[in-house]
Amino acid sequence: MRLFIPGPVNVEEDVLKVMSSPMISHRSKSASCLQQSISENMQILWNTKNSILLSTSSGSGLMEAAVKSLILKKGVFFSLGAFGKRWYEMAIANGKEADIYEVEEGYSNKAEFIDSILKKGCYDFAAITHNETSTGVENPLIDISNVMKKYSDIIFAVDTVSSTGGVDIDVDSCKIDFCVTSTQKCLGLPPGLSICSLSDKAINRTKYVENRGYYLDLLTLYEYTINKDYQYPATPSLSHMYALDYKLNKIINIEKKENRFQRHRLLADITRDWARDRYKLLVKDNNYSDTVTAVVNSRETDLKMLSSKLKDQGYVFSNGYGKLKDKTFRIAHMADTTIEELKAYLETIDKLI
């Protein structure tokens, strides 16, 4: 079956083969070298000198770690949709003071509005979703980061779960203190591992936050990597680490970052052109995602029937998320999807609608 959903994604056979590599001791020098290699390549991918940490969890694990370890007084969450709201809910569930500001589906967060909220001076943590898979909106990260640079006392956190590996992200230029992603989307790996970068400012903040938890304490994770030669307090998923190290090498040294990002842009253009001709796009302010397109079901297509028919053709279809179910559907064009594969999928939909 070919997956055209916003994660998990199809995983190449060579990557799956690497995951079956023999186990080693997670306390060995080989494990340290493996993690060091991953860290150095993630720094290249993210254009950063910040520290890199791993967690054997989905991206939600490190997102929860951020609210537990980095909110000292009060956090604010600027939400594009379902996943921005989830991050806010994590903060509340962990007893943190937090506010959320949401936009109508299809719109991005505006830098000017974020500035007006931060001027109130009551927040020490601000989080945005870079790419919202429920709506197909990509936030204007550079514009928002230019606002965030005015507030040196605020930790700037960015969810790049569905954009890292598909879109160029410059962590250092944008002064991102906490940047998080996970393996099952644009990186083209199975789910189960998340990655974050942590600035010196963020590391310093953790030292003043009490009750950071245990397994997801960012300070403990960081200090272990420093004092234990890139190792972790708990046993990590070595199979995922093998695959991530292998895949990062392919992205950086074989396909090349620029070529990968250009391919994602082309896939997005093809999908959007197709959607405009047949339906409507959900995005309303031209801040389109290059990794997933949300299509308004303007033809009132029976999406349940379409999904069933596509399954018979060997495809997994993605309906709208949450309250957008049946009102929209989504086409993911991320990770290692080729132009030929995407066109074949779109042509198959054409035959069925």
Side-chain angles (χ1 to χ4, degrees):
M1 300 293 287
R2 297 297 301 177
L3 302 173
F4 277 89
I5 60 177
V9 297
N10 301 296
V11 181
E12 296 176 309
E13 288 296 325
D14 57 336
V15 175
L16 293 173
K17 184 176 181 180
V18 169
M19 291 192 75
S20 65
S21 299
M23 286 296 98
I24 57 175
S25 168
H26 64 290
R27 298 300 180 215
S28 66
K29 181 62 178 178
S30 295
S32 295
C33 291
L34 177 61
Q35 166 55 6
Q36 182 175 357
S37 177
I38 290 169
S39 294
E40 290 172 352
N41 278 327
M42 281 302 306
Q43 288 173 324
I44 293 171
L45 184 61
W46 267 337
N47 304 291
T48 185
K49 295 179 180 179
N50 289 347
S51 299
I52 302 296
L53 304 178
L54 302 182
S55 171
T56 300
S57 67
S58 66
S60 296
L62 284 178
M63 290 167 72
E64 183 160 12
V67 301
K68 290 171 71 71
S69 298
L70 297 173
I71 298 178
L72 182 60
K73 297 186 298 183
K74 189 174 186 179
V76 60
F77 296 79
F78 298 98
S79 174
L80 295 173
F83 295 97
K85 186 175 183 180
R86 180 182 295 181
W87 206 352
Y88 162 76
E89 290 170 346
M90 290 178 187
I92 298 302
N94 280 281
K96 298 292 185 175
E97 290 289 325
D99 291 330
I100 185 171
Y101 293 91
E102 302 179 82
V103 295
E104 181 185 342
E105 289 93 349
Y107 287 97
S108 61
N109 295 127
K110 304 305 180 192
E112 297 81 3
F113 178 75
I114 291 175
D115 192 18
S116 71
I117 298 300
L118 298 183
K119 282 180 180 177
K120 296 178 181 180
C122 56
Y123 304 109
D124 61 4
F125 176 95
I128 67 165
T129 306
H130 181 217
N131 191 82
E132 176 60 59
T133 56
S134 69
T135 62
V137 175
E138 181 184 300
N139 251 327
L141 182 58
I142 293 175
D143 291 346
I144 294 172
S145 71
N146 286 336
V147 166
M148 292 303 309
K149 290 172 186 176
K150 296 165 56 177
Y151 301 93
S152 60
D153 56 331
I154 298 177
I155 296 293
F156 182 30
V158 183
D159 163 10
T160 69
V161 166
S162 59
S163 54
T164 290
V167 176
D168 194 17
I169 297 167
D170 194 323
V171 166
D172 285 0
S173 176
C174 291
K175 300 293 183 182
I176 300 172
D177 297 301
F178 174 86
C179 186
V180 61
T181 193
S182 55
T183 51
Q184 79 280 9
K185 295 186 186 287
C186 298
L187 291 174
L189 302 172
L193 197 68
S194 55
I195 311 112
C196 74
S197 66
L198 207 60
S199 71
D200 289 343
K201 185 172 86 174
I203 293 166
N204 187 60
R205 168 65 62 79
T206 64
K207 298 174 183 178
Y208 297 93
V209 179
E210 298 179 351
N211 302 314
R212 297 184 304 270
Y214 186 86
Y215 186 75
L216 295 174
D217 174 11
L218 291 179
L219 181 58
T220 298
L221 289 174
Y222 167 75
E223 289 182 338
Y224 235 86
T225 63
I226 297 300
N227 298 324
K228 301 292 185 179
D229 192 19
Y230 289 96
Q231 294 187 2
Y232 285 86
T235 308
S237 174
L238 291 165
S239 297
H240 280 89
M241 291 172 66
Y242 278 131
L244 179 57
D245 184 51
Y246 176 82
K247 190 58 182 287
L248 289 173
N249 178 66
K250 287 187 70 175
I251 291 171
I252 293 167
N253 299 313
I254 299 176
E255 183 176 14
K256 307 293 186 182
K257 289 197 303 179
E258 298 77 12
N259 294 334
R260 189 174 183 86
F261 302 148
Q262 177 60 35
R263 175 170 56 80
H264 277 78
R265 283 191 292 271
L266 183 55
L267 290 167
D269 287 340
I270 292 170
T271 306
R272 289 195 287 265
D273 287 344
W274 176 90
R276 288 189 186 99
D277 287 343
R278 293 153 182 81
Y279 293 91
K280 294 180 181 179
L281 294 170
L282 181 60
V283 174
K284 299 180 177 70
D285 61 4
N286 295 319
N287 286 310
Y288 297 101
S289 165
D290 277 348
T291 65
V292 59
T293 296
V295 184
V296 177
N297 186 16
S298 55
R299 296 169 58 159
E300 297 186 355
T301 299
D302 185 335
L303 298 184
K304 185 176 181 180
M305 181 67 71
L306 177 59
S307 178
S308 177
K309 290 181 178 179
L310 283 168
K311 185 176 181 180
D312 292 339
Q313 298 294 318
Y315 294 108
V316 179
F317 171 82
S318 182
N319 203 322
Y321 189 88
K323 62 183 180 180
L324 293 174
K325 183 178 181 181
D326 294 330
K327 297 178 181 178
T328 65
F329 62 92
R330 296 169 296 159
I331 299 173
H333 30 82
M334 59 175 67
D336 303 296
T337 302
T338 66
I339 292 171
E340 293 73 23
E341 288 168 342
L342 175 64
K343 287 183 175 179
Y345 179 62
L346 298 177
E347 289 169 3
T348 302
I349 294 178
D350 280 338
K351 295 174 184 178
L352 299 175
I353 59 177

